[in-house]
Amino acid sequence: MKFGIVNTKEQQYFEKLGARIKQLREEKDLDQKTFAFDCEIGRTQLYMIENGKTNPRLLTLIKIAKGLELSLHELLKVS
């Protein structure tokens, strides 16, 4: 079990969400450290989210969405 992620389906969702956040960040040519600072979250926290190793809090996801200039709804759309 990883960081409160209960089952494989949830784990897969957080891995896909993290990969999406990383891809969107890189498309904007933002390095992890700068982006984390701009979003007022820790770089290690962003690393953990981008690698699907944590279940991010809602406030953290709101900050990331704002940093990526997306709505929270758009950010959470993971296929």
Side-chain angles (χ1 to χ4, degrees):
M1 186 191 273
K2 290 184 177 182
F3 300 96
I5 298 172
V6 178
N7 61 42
T8 305
K9 194 172 184 180
E10 288 177 3
Q11 184 177 338
Q12 288 173 344
Y13 176 80
F14 288 115
E15 288 171 0
K16 287 179 182 179
L17 177 61
R20 176 168 163 72
I21 290 168
K22 182 177 182 176
Q23 177 186 359
L24 292 166
R25 175 181 59 76
E26 289 177 344
E27 284 174 5
K28 292 186 173 282
D29 265 344
L30 298 167
D31 66 88
Q32 201 175 58
K33 184 177 179 181
T34 303
F35 183 68
F37 180 82
D38 291 346
C39 291
E40 300 177 346
I41 62 175
R43 193 209 56 82
T44 302
Q45 183 180 18
L46 180 59
Y47 170 85
M48 297 286 283
I49 292 167
E50 287 186 348
N51 288 284
K53 296 180 187 274
T54 188
N55 178 351
R57 292 175 173 251
L58 179 58
L59 182 58
T60 302
L61 291 172
I62 290 169
K63 289 177 178 182
I64 290 171
K66 186 176 178 182
L68 293 170
E69 300 174 326
L70 297 171
S71 70
L72 183 58
H73 177 74
E74 290 171 311
L75 179 67
L76 297 177
K77 279 192 221 172
V78 176
S79 54

